[in-house]
Amino acid sequence: MFPIKLKDGNQAAAEELVREFAPRGPGVEEGTLSFRVYRDPANPDYLLFVEHFANQAAYDEHTGSAAYKELIAGQFANLIVEFVEIDHELLVSL
């Protein structure tokens, strides 16, 4: 889980990059079990990434992909103030 504060006025640009990234990155990664990005209508310039991976190797593949390096570590990183990685182990899923 990644709560991400965006630089002021970058919500639309960030959302566009996420939409471009989803089918090129997590959409084709076998080990990405789910990839969801939420916006908070009451909190502009903020996104919440919620991602689930099969294992550490799948996460490493995800963050090492060309799409991730170009769109997330590259372009998206320029739009953020900060992010915090919150790691959890899945207990229950329906």
Side-chain angles (χ1 to χ4, degrees):
M1 183 179 331
F2 298 89
I4 298 174
K5 173 65 179 134
L6 303 167
K7 293 177 183 174
D8 291 346
N10 281 289
Q11 185 80 35
E15 288 182 16
E16 183 57 35
L17 283 170
V18 170
R19 285 188 187 97
E20 183 179 350
F21 173 64
R24 291 177 51 194
V28 296
E29 297 164 355
E30 193 172 305
T32 300
L33 304 178
S34 69
F35 177 82
R36 296 176 183 204
V37 179
Y38 300 88
R39 75 175 108 155
D40 181 349
N43 187 9
D45 299 313
Y46 170 85
L47 292 174
L48 176 65
F49 283 57
V50 180
E51 308 172 9
H52 295 102
F53 300 94
N55 51 38
Q56 184 63 47
Y59 177 75
D60 294 344
E61 178 183 336
H62 170 75
T63 58
S65 73
Y68 183 92
K69 289 176 182 175
E70 174 192 350
L71 298 171
I72 301 302
Q75 297 177 46
F76 186 83
N78 293 323
L79 304 178
I80 70 172
V81 172
E82 67 179 349
F83 77 93
V84 176
E85 181 175 357
I86 303 170
D87 192 20
H88 293 80
E89 292 181 352
L90 183 63
L91 180 62
V92 175
S93 177
L94 300 174

